[in-house]
Amino acid sequence: MSRISGINLIGRMSSSLTDSVVSALPKTTIAGKKKLRAIDWIGEKFSSPENRLILGVSALMTQPFIDAHNKKVDDETRKVSVARTVAKIIAGTFTGYYVRAGCIKMIDAMTKLPSEVANPKSFGGKMRMLFTPDAAKSGVLKSLKMYKNALGTTISLFVMLFTNFLIDAPLTKYLTNLFTDKFIHKQKNDKGGTVNE
C-alpha cells in the first residue's frame, strides 16, 4: 500500500510541476484556418523520429560553431572539441532517428485492425493485432496513428538504453577518431609538423 501511495505522491508532484510550468507560459491564441491547418499537418506528419532529425540538424548548425570559437582553450583542443561534437551529433542523430523510426514501424506492423488481417483468429493474425487497443477495434479511438507513434516512441526509449552503449558510443568514438585523423593530423602533416600517435 505504501508503494502505491508513493507512486501517487510522485504523480501529484509531477502534475503540480507541469501545471506550474504551463501557467508560467504566456497565453496565446492561434486564429486563422491556414495556421490551424499548418499546426494539424505538423502534428500528423512529424513524430519523434522527425523531431530527433530536426534537433540533430539544429545542433550540427550551432554547437560546432560554439566549440570552434571557444577562446579559453588552444587551437588544437578547439579542433578536437569540434570533431568530438560533430561525431556525437551525427552518431546520436543517426541512432536516435533509426531506433525511433524502427520501433514505430514495428508497432505499426503489430497494430492492425481486424478488417486488415486475413485471419484474425490465427497466431499470425493475433500477432498483427497484438498492440491494437480495444477502442480502435470498436471504432472509438480517434487517431490510431498517434497511438502507434506514442507507443513506438515509448518502446524506443527503452531500446535506446541499450543502443546508446552498443551503437551510439562506439560510433561516436569511431567518428571522432576519423575526423581527428582526417582534419587535425592531416593538417599537421601538410604543414610539416609532427604527429603524436
Side-chain angles (χ1 to χ4, degrees):
M1 191 68 180
S2 61
R3 185 176 168 185
I4 293 171
S5 62
I7 292 170
N8 288 338
L9 176 65
I10 292 169
R12 284 196 304 273
M13 287 171 57
S14 169
S15 179
S16 170
L17 179 64
T18 306
D19 290 345
S20 314
V21 170
V22 169
S23 357
L25 294 172
K27 291 175 178 49
T28 306
T29 304
I30 297 172
K33 287 182 182 178
K34 282 186 179 178
K35 288 178 185 173
L36 291 172
R37 271 201 307 265
I39 289 170
D40 283 342
W41 182 83
I42 290 168
E44 284 176 26
K45 301 293 181 191
F46 285 67
S47 65
S48 63
E50 290 80 15
N51 289 337
R52 185 63 187 93
L53 205 55
I54 290 166
L55 282 172
V57 170
S58 323
L60 202 55
M61 292 189 309
T62 55
Q63 289 179 10
F65 179 80
I66 293 166
D67 285 346
H69 290 84
N70 182 3
K71 300 296 181 194
K72 294 179 181 175
V73 294
D74 62 275
D75 191 44
E76 188 173 344
T77 306
R78 271 199 300 274
K79 288 177 182 174
V80 171
S81 181
V82 169
R84 189 181 305 120
T85 299
V86 170
K88 269 188 195 171
I89 293 167
I90 291 172
T93 302
F94 174 83
T95 309
Y97 175 81
Y98 282 105
V99 167
R100 285 171 173 87
C103 288
I104 289 171
K105 195 104 172 146
M106 180 195 72
I107 292 298
D108 182 44
M110 301 172 87
T111 314
K112 299 297 179 192
L113 295 171
S115 58
E116 298 173 306
V117 178
N119 187 0
K121 302 257 185 221
S122 69
F123 176 75
K126 286 178 182 175
M127 286 304 292
R128 288 174 62 85
M129 296 189 305
L130 184 65
F131 294 113
T132 307
D134 292 335
K137 291 176 187 172
S138 60
V140 176
L141 188 67
K142 272 188 171 182
S143 177
L144 186 58
K145 185 179 178 185
M146 287 185 158
Y147 167 82
K148 290 175 188 178
N149 286 341
L151 185 57
T153 300
T154 304
I155 289 173
S156 74
L157 295 175
F158 291 106
V159 172
M160 282 187 285
L161 291 174
F162 302 98
T163 58
N164 279 346
F165 298 104
L166 298 173
I167 299 169
D168 209 350
L171 183 59
T172 300
K173 184 179 178 185
Y174 170 78
L175 289 174
T176 302
N177 291 337
L178 181 76
F179 296 151
T180 305
D181 289 342
K182 211 158 188 76
F183 299 111
I184 298 169
H185 294 162
K186 186 175 183 296
Q187 284 178 358
K188 276 188 172 182
N189 285 338
D190 291 345
K191 291 177 183 175
T194 57
V195 181
N196 295 326
E197 292 297 329

